[in-house]
Amino acid sequence: QVHVVESGGGLVQPGGSLRLSCGTSGSVSSIWRMAWYRQAPGQRRELVASITNGGITNYADSVEGRFTISRDNANNTVYLQLNSLQPEDTAVYYCNATTQYRDYWGQGTQVTVSS
């Protein structure tokens, strides 16, 4: 079992920044990839960014150059730095941990970009 908890969402003006955190606990040694997804109202959940155990990152085209995913292995935490935020980035952001057997999800954190 892996437990996943996100934090760091909030309300920010266009052009602003936020940093999301995702803490994991439990069988963390079984995780081979961490990722952030987001889901806007009426939309499907989409992959935002991912990072493997080997440090390989992948980004959605819509956030490339604005968002950065990173990980602190010592503290079993993954971060998502969100810069140059736009209203279309408004969504619930979910952290995902992938193991050999299944995916684990956090409860989500709301990011709202509005003036």
Side-chain angles (χ1 to χ4, degrees):
Q1 280 290 87
V2 176
H3 191 50
V4 179
V5 179
E6 307 98 334
S7 61
L11 173 64
V12 63
Q13 293 186 341
S17 298
L18 282 175
R19 189 176 81 155
L20 307 182
S21 300
C22 174
T24 59
S25 60
S27 301
V28 297
S29 62
S30 65
I31 301 171
W32 67 269
R33 189 197 78 156
M34 295 293 299
W36 286 95
Y37 288 73
R38 67 185 181 187
Q39 188 168 20
Q43 303 295 317
R44 293 187 299 179
R45 191 172 296 189
E46 62 174 356
L47 176 66
V48 175
S50 65
I51 185 166
T52 68
N53 278 354
I56 297 172
T57 58
N58 182 55
Y59 295 93
D61 290 343
S62 59
V63 307
E64 182 82 53
R66 299 189 298 124
F67 293 5
T68 302
I69 190 170
S70 61
R71 63 193 299 165
D72 178 350
N73 291 327
N75 293 303
N76 299 316
T77 301
V78 172
Y79 303 98
L80 186 67
Q81 179 67 40
L82 295 72
N83 295 332
S84 302
L85 282 162
Q86 299 303 317
E88 52 266 34
D89 295 315
T90 295
V92 178
Y93 284 70
Y94 296 92
C95 184
N96 166 271
T98 300
T99 70
Q100 179 181 357
Y101 301 106
R102 58 163 289 184
D103 286 323
Y104 294 88
W105 295 89
Q107 79 288 349
T109 185
Q110 177 71 46
V111 172
T112 302
V113 185
S114 175
S115 56

